[in-house]
Amino acid sequence: MTEPAFDPDTCKFNWHSLVDAQRAIPEELRYWLTLPTSLTQALRLRSDVFTVEVLEQRRVSLALPIDGFSDGLGPCPMFSRKVLLKHGDTAWVAAHTLIPERSLDGGLRQLTQLANQPLGELLFASPGVSKGHLQVCATDRGWGRRARYLLNHQPLLVSEFFLPELIDYEHKRLTLLHQAHPT
């Protein structure tokens, strides 16, 4: 298991509404931070060696409020999963998922058994899944986004942090495309 250079713990960052932060988002991150469809699918389209590396899976108890997700009025038992979404050996995205125990009891327990499978594939293949409460944050390594999903009417919080290696790769890819097909 890789020791991450970046800890994707969603509770460590200062989050802002995506709508309120639109003007501050760097152009090279706008696509990634506002992508309405599956991040997993977008990464797979760019990588023939896409993998998921699980950094940590464990039960946690959070007492702090998470805007739009938990009120922080008392300890809330949750399942926490931290992963790296990778292109070969290169980490492109660090992600953190929080699932309240009540959601696990409400039919989402299978999400604790994903192993190295991407959560996004399951979410976007599930009928009736909804995504809302979109937020973004700036970090010392770039930017992140998070959203509250409802799967089977049960909430889960997914945070994704776009690492510089992905942004560099995307810049090179788009430059080559532009050179091959100038306008």
Side-chain angles (χ1 to χ4, degrees), residues 107-123:
L108 300 188
R109 189 145 320 267
Q110 77 273 18
L111 299 183
T112 66
Q113 306 301 316
L114 289 174
N116 288 344
Q117 295 179 355
L119 172 65
E121 285 182 349
L122 185 137
L123 282 178

Side-chain angles (χ1 to χ4, degrees), residues 2-94:
T2 303
E3 183 64 32
F6 177 81
D7 182 0
D9 188 336
T10 193
C11 298
K12 292 182 176 181
F13 301 98
N14 187 18
W15 296 90
H16 305 279
S17 157
L18 176 60
V19 172
D20 294 343
Q22 282 286 351
R23 288 193 185 111
I25 297 172
E27 187 60 37
E28 67 272 13
L29 284 152
R30 192 168 303 280
Y31 170 80
W32 297 106
L33 293 171
T34 62
L35 182 69
T37 56
S38 170
L39 175 61
T40 300
Q41 183 179 6
L43 294 175
R44 283 191 188 278
L45 288 173
R46 289 160 174 79
S47 176
D48 54 351
V49 285
F50 176 81
T51 59
V52 175
E53 180 182 341
V54 177
L55 299 173
E56 175 184 285
Q57 291 191 148
R58 65 187 179 103
R59 300 239 188 268
V60 297
S61 184
L62 297 180
L64 67 150
I66 297 176
D67 190 28
F69 188 65
S70 70
D71 56 20
L73 294 177
C76 180
M78 297 198 190
F79 175 77
S80 171
R81 179 178 188 242
K82 295 179 183 180
V83 300
L84 294 176
L85 306 180
K86 299 171 75 173
H87 168 64
D89 292 331
T90 304
W92 276 357
V93 175

